[in-house]
Amino acid sequence: MSHVAQDSMDPGTLRAVEAVAEAWAQFKTDSGLADHPIVLGLEEGRTLAQIQGLSRDDLEVIYAHGFRLLSQGMRDKAEIVFTQLVMIDPLMARNHYCLGLCHQLAGDPGKALGLFEMAVALDATNPEGLIKMGECYAALNRPEDAADCFRIVLAEARKGNGTEDAAARAAARLDSVSQGA
């Protein structure tokens, strides 16, 4: 860990990070995984998809299959596909978004919210994640948080970001949560 990061980190957090690093090093040694190609690849910062040699085209085929399942109403099967994609290709916002849709459709806004938050963290330019976050907040009876999400979409729309459709949906949902508050 660099000295800059150490200097700005809370001492308790720093101790916790160091303890985890030591435990990980000990686990690798004890388990014999220190030289395993997957472990080495993850430590290099590669995704499981990259380590396994899956191309962007390969991942696109898997995504298209999951999306087709979701579009055909096979939420359970789509959830399996998108769970796998989140695990092997975690840096793609749309994987988290679609898994969030699966959980939202299953009536679990709490699980869905975390996935939509990750999608927005990975791609803050897509208003759909914020709209879905707002819907989840509303379902969790958190109208102010929901309204904040919809306001952000509208503010971005005024700057020319997002689609007119997304802005219209955000405005309608903002009106809905504002009236219910």
Side-chain angles (χ1 to χ4, degrees):
M1 189 175 306
S2 75
H3 288 287
V4 173
Q6 288 177 352
D7 292 343
S8 63
M9 191 178 292
D10 170 67
T13 303
L14 179 59
R15 284 191 296 278
V17 169
E18 288 170 344
V20 168
E22 288 172 22
W24 172 243
Q26 188 63 51
F27 170 78
K28 287 190 311 182
T29 301
D30 293 348
S31 65
L33 292 175
D35 294 324
H36 193 282
I38 292 176
V39 171
L40 294 172
L42 291 172
E43 288 182 337
E44 291 169 358
R46 294 187 290 146
T47 67
L48 288 173
Q50 292 167 331
I51 293 166
Q52 293 299 315
L54 295 172
S55 70
R56 186 52 44 203
D57 288 342
D58 296 331
L59 294 166
E60 186 62 35
V61 168
I62 298 168
Y63 174 85
H65 176 65
F67 194 81
R68 190 170 31 262
L69 291 170
L70 190 57
S71 298
Q72 293 172 349
M74 294 185 249
R75 188 207 57 80
D76 291 343
K77 290 180 180 181
E79 182 179 333
I80 293 167
V81 172
F82 290 117
T83 297
Q84 293 299 313
L85 278 170
V86 163
M87 291 187 331
I88 66 172
D89 193 25
L91 301 178
M92 289 298 291
R94 68 185 187 170
N95 297 338
H96 297 272
Y97 179 85
C98 287
L99 185 54
L101 284 177
C102 291
H103 289 293
Q104 188 180 30
L105 290 170
D108 192 343
K111 274 187 184 176
L113 177 61
L115 290 154
F116 293 136
E117 288 171 338
M118 181 59 78
V120 168
L122 291 167
D123 182 6
T125 65
N126 186 343
E128 298 302 325
L130 282 165
I131 291 171
K132 290 299 182 183
M133 282 176 59
E135 291 172 358
C136 289
Y137 280 129
L140 294 168
N141 199 26
R142 294 171 58 182
E144 283 305 313
D145 292 326
D148 287 345
C149 290
F150 301 138
R151 285 185 196 110
I152 292 169
V153 172
L154 292 173
E156 288 300 312
R158 284 190 290 275
K159 295 178 190 174
N161 299 321
T163 64
E164 287 182 28
D165 177 61
R169 285 183 291 123
R173 285 173 175 85
L174 179 59
D175 286 343
S176 175
V177 258
S178 296
Q179 291 172 4

